[in-house]
Amino acid sequence: MTLPRITIFAMKGCTHCAAAKGLLEKAGIAFTALDIHFFERRYATAVADSGMQTVPIVYVGRFLVGGRSDLEGILGNAEVKVDIERALAEFHRRRTESDASTGATADDLPDFLAPLTDEETAQWTEHKEASEGAPQSSRLYEPEFTIPGKSGNGRKLKFNELLNAVRGKGGVEVKDRGFLWRKKRTFIAKELVGVVRRDICGTLASEEDAVELCRSLHQRHMIEPYDHSTTRFVGNDDLWRFVVDHGSHSMNRDRIFEVAPDNDDGSSPLPKRRNGSDVAHDLRVWLGVIIEKFVTPDGVAYHKMQDDEDFQKFTEAVTELQTVDLDELSRAEKIAFGINTYNMAVLHAYAIRGPPSGFFDMYRFFNSIGYDIGGHHYTLNDIENGFLRGNRKAIGAFSLPFDHKDPRLEFAVENPDYRIHFALNCGAKSCPPIKVFTADKLDEELQRAADAFMSSNATFEPDRRVLRVSKIISWYAEDFTTPTMGPVELCVKHLPKDIAADCRDVGLENIKLEYMAYDWSTNAVPKNKR
């Protein structure tokens, strides 16, 4: 059976797009998938023609099918090729008959659905070859410390050797301090100087030598001040702690990404520090690789990640986050970077430790696991609520993520965008799907994410004047309130046109919001499912 041309407008990382394409691929049905980011003009015309703000957009010949659910509705229970072909042919026949009055023939295709020109084909091939695969993995170095002082004699110690010497048996005293507010697992700075001078540098070394080595430990992220009242190690009575005793886990701190000094004359074997936007670009590519390989219509195959070569390279690549200067990023770059990094961190954490189980484990998960970014530890909650939301309280929190002394505060996004909540995926089934975001098309991508999420997570009951939406809107009501619009107005802004029109007919001021139950169960594909 000869079918008319089937066209699917889709984007990478979209599970609905993958599912729609999968229905046809499984049966061996030929179709043309057009990437909406590359074929922008064709996509813009498809949006205008279909009235759809979400993907996929499916056409059979010149006739609109709709999205994933519309395609599934046409196919019904058809699974084998002959039945699917019959269903699509019948759809096309009926639409052709009903459209006969226009005088157009069934073979007439508008330009946005016509076969690709030779030039488009060549450009698309070149684009795919340039973007396929992942960037080269990072060069990682285990730091060495040159021991100062006469007794040091130029001796070198590896990171873990030095850590064990100063923190292990006979090292500096690490304990909980304070009464009302316990300062857990801390040590006194001058006591570390004494241990370093006695056991590492040797008694012939000066106190200045020992302090200088301690500063190197701080620069290499072995130790950190307990609070944010100091940024320089001076060997006084201040409380410090070892990073490994922080209670938080930076997943990219198991290895150190060292770069050449800023004043390097080219003699250093280490790579130069790259601009934050360049690092963000590479990590965005890595996220796309992980999504493409492990995010399926049925969920995320976390259990397959650990043994995958690309995932191992990805875990190396994220170490470069240690060198990123967030101050170099524009607002749009910060938002795209924050969303992508959050979603990467969740995928990473689920793969190496598994999803959280129960309320308390979930609390620990989001308040401990994260990444070292620019020498600062950012938990998942820090990335979302401190960085992306401009330092606003997390759900149920009593305090802000960053206090006024916290150096991370200066990097927080100003004027947060409420649409980030349609882009962040915490690993639960009710979360928005995982996508990759770019700074140069951020507004368009956030708009599409918001429209897509609201189209499948909102229902309107005109008789009751009730709009039922995701619980996300309730949890972050502060973000969904602007000087001119409230949560109802912002929600309606992203609804499908027919539902939005029904809402406006009854008056937005008369609508009450109700919230759907949130499914916190994991979005992981069961291990026994291939």
Side-chain angles (χ1 to χ4, degrees):
M1 180 181 296
T2 302
L3 285 173
R5 177 182 172 85
I6 299 173
T7 307
I8 301 179
F9 290 90
M11 63 182 286
K12 265 190 174 183
C14 170
T15 54
H16 294 296
C17 300
K21 291 188 289 185
L23 288 170
L24 303 180
E25 286 173 345
K26 188 176 179 181
I29 306 293
F31 63 89
T32 299
L34 298 181
D35 186 299
I36 64 173
H37 292 125
F38 186 81
F39 296 100
E40 291 180 333
R41 291 185 180 178
R42 287 180 178 248
Y43 172 62
T45 308
V47 169
D49 177 78
S50 65
M52 294 177 61
Q53 299 293 326
T54 59
V55 287
I57 303 177
V58 183
Y59 281 87
V60 175
R62 60 188 170 89
F63 301 115
L64 172 69
V65 172
R68 168 189 176 178
S69 59
D70 300 303
L71 178 61
E72 290 172 336
I74 289 173
L75 300 184
N77 297 322
E79 293 183 1
V80 298
K81 182 176 182 179
V82 63
D83 292 335
I84 292 178
E85 287 179 333
R86 187 179 294 116
L88 293 173
E90 176 62 18
F91 164 80
H92 188 260
R93 184 190 64 78
R94 285 188 281 105
R95 287 299 310 272
T96 301
E97 290 178 354
S98 65
D99 209 40
S101 60
T102 64
T105 69
D107 295 328
D108 288 339
L109 289 176
D111 290 343
F112 74 99
L113 295 174
L116 299 183
T117 64
D118 291 342
E119 182 181 3
E120 286 177 317
T121 300
Q123 291 173 344
W124 173 238
T125 301
E126 182 180 349
H127 170 78
K128 282 200 302 179
E129 290 175 350
S131 60
E132 276 178 356
Q136 294 295 312
S137 56
S138 310
R139 291 177 62 195
L140 301 175
Y141 298 83
E142 183 179 358
E144 286 185 333
F145 297 84
T146 301
I147 308 305
K150 295 180 180 178
S151 300
N153 208 19
R155 182 166 54 102
K156 295 181 183 292
L157 286 179
K158 299 283 190 183
F159 185 93
N160 286 322
E161 291 174 332
L162 188 51
L163 175 62
N164 291 334
V166 296
R167 180 174 171 266
K169 187 176 181 180
V172 69
E173 183 181 27
V174 175
K175 66 179 184 179
D176 297 349
R177 303 167 195 270
F179 297 99
L180 293 178
W181 298 100
R182 301 292 282 170
K183 299 174 180 179
K184 296 183 178 181
R185 307 288 296 163
T186 57
F187 62 83
I188 297 172
K190 66 182 181 183
E191 292 182 3
L192 178 64
V193 173
V195 170
V196 166
R197 188 179 183 190
R198 182 193 71 205
D199 298 338
I200 307 300
C201 298
T203 54
L204 295 179
S206 67
E207 182 172 323
E208 288 74 17
D209 286 334
V211 169
E212 195 59 40
L213 181 56
C214 290
R215 286 175 181 157
S216 294
L217 306 187
H218 181 210
Q219 292 167 358
R220 302 288 182 80
H221 310 309
M222 186 186 292
I223 63 175
E224 62 185 8
Y226 177 78
D227 58 25
H228 304 291
S229 58
T230 181
T231 57
R232 181 175 171 81
F233 188 95
V234 292
N236 56 11
D237 290 319
D238 287 346
L239 290 181
W240 285 65
R241 63 185 166 197
F242 291 100
V243 169
V244 294
D245 292 328
H246 184 277
S248 295
H249 175 47
S250 285
M251 295 179 291
N252 63 336
R253 263 186 185 162
D254 59 335
R255 290 161 288 189
I256 304 298
F257 190 94
E258 286 205 288
V259 293
D262 290 340
N263 61 354
D264 176 49
D265 59 3
S267 60
S268 173
L270 299 172
K272 291 185 177 181
R273 189 188 70 81
R274 295 198 298 160
N275 184 280
S277 59
D278 294 331
V279 179
H281 172 271
D282 278 5
L283 293 178
R284 189 173 71 240
V285 175
W286 275 113
L287 179 58
V289 171
I290 299 302
I291 289 174
E292 198 75 6
K293 293 189 79 168
F294 301 107
V295 178
T296 75
D298 298 314
V300 185
Y302 298 109
H303 63 285
K304 294 182 179 180
M305 289 186 187
Q306 285 230 47
D307 297 327
D308 182 78
E309 183 179 352
D310 278 339
F311 182 74
Q312 297 307 319
K313 291 179 180 177
F314 158 76
T315 64
E316 292 183 6
V318 294
T319 60
E320 196 172 0
L321 285 171
Q322 298 167 12
T323 70
V324 168
D325 183 354
L326 293 173
D327 210 27
E328 296 174 339
L329 304 183
S330 66
R331 179 176 177 275
E333 286 175 328
K334 282 184 176 181
I335 293 174
F337 171 85
I339 294 170
N340 292 335
T341 302
Y342 180 95
N343 290 338
M344 278 193 308
V346 172
L347 288 168
H348 192 168
Y350 270 44
I352 65 175
R353 81 166 306 267
S357 56
F359 175 79
F360 291 107
D361 190 34
M362 187 178 295
Y363 177 84
R364 286 191 296 269
F365 182 89
F366 289 101
N367 286 283
S368 63
I369 288 179
Y371 285 136
D372 177 325
I373 303 174
H376 302 291
H377 177 69
Y378 284 80
T379 67
L380 290 165
N381 265 342
D382 291 335
I383 296 172
E384 177 183 7
N385 301 297
F387 181 67
L388 282 171
R389 296 184 62 225
N391 203 36
R392 293 178 176 176
K393 292 179 183 178
I395 301 171
F398 295 104
S399 59
L400 297 173
F402 307 148
D403 64 36
H404 68 284
K405 298 178 182 177
D406 196 319
R408 297 172 297 176
L409 183 59
E410 67 176 294
F411 306 125
V413 173
E414 296 182 2
N415 303 315
D417 193 318
Y418 68 94
R419 295 174 298 178
I420 64 168
H421 298 296
F422 303 121
L424 298 173
N425 184 294
C426 72
K429 284 185 176 178
S430 284
C431 286
I434 307 168
K435 295 184 175 71
V436 181
F437 290 83
T438 60
D440 56 340
K441 296 178 181 177
L442 182 66
D443 187 67
E444 173 191 333
E445 291 166 353
L446 285 176
Q447 189 73 13
R448 189 180 301 120
D451 293 346
F453 186 79
M454 290 300 295
S455 71
S456 56
N457 288 275
T459 59
F460 182 54
E461 300 176 30
D463 295 341
R464 296 179 57 219
R465 297 181 179 179
V466 167
L467 178 62
R468 299 189 73 244
V469 294
S470 168
K471 193 77 172 174
I472 290 173
I473 313 300
S474 172
W475 291 329
Y476 299 101
E478 175 186 7
D479 298 4
F480 285 87
T481 303
T482 71
T484 58
M485 302 178 77
V488 170
E489 289 83 359
L490 289 177
C491 286
V492 171
K493 181 180 176 182
H494 298 289
L495 291 175
K497 292 181 179 179
D498 55 339
I499 301 178
D502 291 342
C503 291
R504 293 190 178 94
D505 286 344
V506 303
L508 301 189
E509 69 280 3
N510 299 317
I511 292 176
K512 175 185 175 183
L513 292 180
E514 288 185 359
Y515 304 101
M516 302 173 177
Y518 205 81
D519 186 353
W520 284 103
S521 58
T522 175
N523 63 358
V525 174
K527 291 184 178 181
N528 59 359
K529 188 162 185 173
R530 295 187 178 274

